[in-house]
Amino acid sequence: MMEGLLFLGFVAVISEAAPVELYSRDKVLRLKPENEQHLQFLRNVSLPEQVDFWKPACAELVTTNGTVDIRVPADWVAKLQSELEKIALKYEVLTEDLQILIENQFDQRSTRDIHYNYEAYHSWNEIESWTARIAEENPDLVSRMEIGKTYEGRSIYLLWVGNRTGAEKPAIFMDCGIHAREWISPAFCQWFVKEVVESYNSIPLITTLFNQLDFLVVPVINVDGYIYSWTKNRLWRKTRSKNPGSGCVGTDPNRNFDAKWCTLGSSSDPCSEIYCGPHVESEKEVIAVADFIRNHSSIIKAYLTIHSYSQLLLYPYSYDNSLPFHHKELDDLAWNAVEKLRSLYDTKYTYGPGASTIYIASGGSDDWAYDLGIKYSFTFELRDTGQYGFLLPESQIKPTCEETMLAVYHITHYVLDHLY
Ligand SMILES: *[C@@H]1O[C@H](CO)[C@@H](O)[C@H](O)[C@H]1NC(C)=O
Ligand SMILES: *[C@@H]1O[C@H](CO)[C@@H](O)[C@H](O)[C@H]1NC(C)=O
Ligand SMILES: *[C@@H]1O[C@H](CO)[C@@H](O)[C@H](O)[C@H]1NC(C)=O
Ligand SMILES: *[C@@H]1O[C@H](CO)[C@@H](O)[C@H](O)[C@H]1NC(C)=O
Ligand SMILES: [Zn+2]
């Protein structure tokens, strides 16, 4: 009897401590391909899925003289290293043992108290209760609505933030958590709402701001994937929809929007990390966001989507190398925003059109929003540049959010001064 109870307790602790997919002694390598032979080699190693591409998200997106971060399974490390040396493909080891990084992130979760801890990563249950509570406690400033359901039937929430003056106000739409493993993203959306709530009654500039415009914040779009990254596989990226005829699960929601869908920089293979889905807007999570934005396109003046990692601020286009009509203005605005961001902790961001700054990718939400007529459309890729990657420690949540607030507020003030 005693033994039975102890055993159950043990299992419960384990299942909450870390996802079951193990990455013991796997390494993360950063490669610097310099020629066609290197590219071919990377395409070859990606085929049998021996390595997992972190940045960019798959081998087809690799170009010469950029950097590539890959996860290499433990039993492949030695062989791969010798092959890299054979073809003189330069690399450095970013992470010696990935499982240790993952476990640290779960073990070192800050203890929670009755107040919500914004410097911790939160499970979906915690975030869901938080969305209810923050709306309940700030009824004049925040209201919560459900904009749709996920594939597995969970609610996708939007927090409508701004003083309800009764007049129609311009709005900025911001979403987080479109890719499951990018945990700093939902942490930022939560931080943002907290900051607004805390400063609204005490900082006149913020009071004025939220009397003049609204922020429409979706803290987690890809809820099913987010939960999977907490319970089964810390490095899950896509949705969790089943693909008929394939053993592989999920679509990349950021390849599923109606923006030159499934052309360059996306894959029609359900097993790919950048699978575009069976058709445009096949994912319920994508429909929810796209429908909401279409329905409110007369008031939405800016679209911000928060990802990680790489420290980039991107504007359209990503789907090809063409430049948007407002290229000059977006470029100036991006430059000013990253300067503001850098002023706090000297964190350096690169900025520019998606295609030339990171890689070509069709079906992305930022291009779609821009082509819908939302002029100020930006993708943030938050910290870091690869030391921890998706496993950014909790100790970096606060500085990351603080500096990102400066960029977001800069864009907000600019948009308000340049309404269209
Ligand atoms: C890449 O870098 C190598 C070595 O520095 C250089 O010779 C080559 O021209 C570069 N290729 C491109 C496409 O920039
Ligand atoms: C890639 O694979 C092809 C076919 O197996 C092979 O001929 C080629 O040598 C490989 N290239 C590299 C750089 O490994
Ligand atoms: C919110 O808007 C109402 C209606 O315009 C206004 O009376 C009120 O002062 C505003 N709240 C704050 C804190 O400015
Ligand atoms: C958008 O508007 C359509 C038609 O009015 C409505 O059926 C749908 O529920 C709305 N969706 C959202 C997310 O607002
Ligand atoms: Zn992402």
Side-chain angles (χ1 to χ4, degrees):
M1 187 60 188
M2 271 300 272
E3 267 176 27
L5 282 177
L6 281 175
F7 181 70
L8 282 177
F10 182 67
V11 169
V13 168
I14 289 284
S15 68
E16 271 181 27
V20 293
E21 184 97 4
L22 294 179
Y23 295 103
S24 297
R25 295 192 313 283
D26 286 11
K27 290 194 194 314
V28 180
L29 304 188
R30 170 160 296 176
L31 315 175
K32 299 193 172 63
E34 283 172 354
N35 55 44
E36 194 49 45
Q37 186 197 16
H38 292 165
L39 294 190
Q40 187 53 47
F41 177 80
L42 286 173
R43 283 180 212 120
N44 279 9
V45 292
S46 77
L47 281 183
E49 312 234 356
Q50 285 151 354
V51 304
D52 170 22
F53 281 72
W54 278 25
K55 192 192 80 161
C58 75
E60 296 97 84
L61 299 177
V62 174
T63 53
T64 43
N65 296 354
T67 61
V68 181
D69 299 350
I70 56 172
R71 175 184 67 81
V72 187
D75 50 358
W76 262 88
V77 171
K79 187 167 189 299
L80 186 74
Q81 280 174 322
S82 85
E83 288 184 28
L84 292 175
E85 274 145 33
K86 228 180 285 167
I87 60 169
L89 205 174
K90 295 197 193 83
Y91 70 92
E92 60 182 302
V93 178
L94 290 183
T95 304
E96 287 288 349
D97 186 336
L98 189 58
Q99 186 65 22
I100 289 177
L101 265 195
I102 292 176
E103 282 170 12
N104 282 348
Q105 203 173 52
F106 280 83
D107 293 349
Q108 291 169 2
R109 288 192 65 209
S110 325
T111 47
R112 274 150 291 160
D113 52 34
I114 46 166
H115 300 293
Y116 199 73
N117 182 355
Y118 289 92
E119 294 178 47
Y121 293 117
H122 290 279
S123 67
W124 172 245
N125 281 346
E126 291 164 352
I127 296 175
E128 183 174 37
S129 331
W130 169 83
T131 60
R133 196 157 31 127
I134 197 123
E136 219 171 83
E137 288 171 354
N138 303 277
D140 300 333
L141 194 60
V142 181
S143 57
R144 183 181 87 160
M145 57 193 282
E146 185 192 277
I147 60 167
K149 295 238 193 254
T150 66
Y151 179 81
E152 291 174 350
R154 299 183 177 90
S155 300
I156 302 169
Y157 295 112
L158 177 140
L159 296 174
W160 197 303
V161 183
N163 184 8
R164 291 199 214 123
T165 58
E168 188 175 275
K169 293 193 283 175
I172 293 181
F173 186 98
M174 179 165 75
D175 61 51
C176 290
I178 192 165
H179 287 140
R181 61 194 176 187
E182 299 166 5
W183 285 9
I184 186 63
S185 163
F188 175 71
C189 268
Q190 293 166 71
W191 185 281
F192 178 85
V193 175
K194 167 205 79 128
E195 276 292 311
V196 172
V197 163
E198 282 177 6
S199 24
Y200 180 67
N201 288 309
S202 53
I203 303 176
L205 194 66
I206 304 300
T207 317
T208 314
L209 200 61
F210 285 87
N211 284 342
Q212 293 175 61
L213 62 65
D214 294 325
F215 246 89
L216 312 173
V217 181
V218 179
V220 184
I221 296 184
N222 180 8
V223 179
D224 300 344
Y226 187 72
I227 292 174
Y228 199 77
S229 76
W230 273 78
T231 56
K232 295 285 172 24
N233 180 351
R234 176 63 187 85
L235 297 174
W236 190 258
R237 166 184 169 93
K238 299 190 285 181
T239 62
R240 292 293 305 161
S241 55
K242 292 198 170 61
N243 295 309
S246 166
C248 295
V249 170
T251 286
D252 183 344
N254 207 32
R255 297 293 187 283
N256 194 235
F257 283 81
D258 191 4
K260 294 202 196 292
W261 176 79
C262 214
T263 54
L264 296 171
S266 72
S267 169
S268 52
D269 172 3
C271 295
S272 167
E273 290 284 24
I274 54 168
Y275 177 46
C276 58
H279 54 85
V280 163
E281 292 183 11
S282 59
E283 302 310 284
K284 291 185 72 181
E285 298 79 1
V286 169
I287 298 176
V289 168
D291 270 354
F292 181 89
I293 293 178
R294 277 190 285 261
N295 282 9
H296 299 85
S297 60
S298 64
I299 58 165
I300 297 176
K301 303 299 172 189
Y303 171 79
L304 308 178
T305 182
I306 313 294
H307 292 247
S308 76
Y309 59 97
S310 291
Q311 297 177 193
L312 306 170
L313 182 52
L314 308 171
Y315 55 82
Y317 286 111
S318 290
Y319 58 46
D320 63 26
N321 281 310
S322 62
L323 292 176
F325 181 77
H326 305 97
H327 163 248
K328 180 77 182 73
E329 186 182 0
L330 294 176
D331 199 70
D332 286 346
L333 179 50
W335 180 76
N336 279 295
V338 304
E339 281 298 299
K340 286 284 181 305
L341 189 153
R342 190 161 81 110
S343 67
L344 197 55
Y345 297 113
D346 203 31
T347 306
K348 294 173 183 68
Y349 266 55
T350 304
Y351 64 95
S356 59
T357 309
I358 165 167
Y359 43 67
I360 288 198
S362 58
S365 63
D366 52 353
D367 285 355
W368 170 78
Y370 182 82
D371 282 347
L372 189 72
I374 301 173
K375 175 159 58 158
Y376 302 109
S377 179
F378 291 100
T379 295
F380 280 81
E381 296 277 356
L382 303 183
R383 287 193 196 185
D384 54 14
T385 55
Q387 186 187 357
Y388 296 101
F390 304 118
L391 302 166
L392 194 72
E394 287 189 331
S395 59
Q396 290 200 40
I397 294 178
K398 183 168 185 271
T400 303
C401 292
E402 287 172 336
E403 68 194 9
T404 309
M405 286 301 295
L406 300 183
V408 171
Y409 271 150
H410 178 81
I411 293 171
T412 306
H413 287 293
Y414 183 93
V415 170
L416 209 49
D417 287 343
H418 297 82
L419 288 177
Y420 57 95

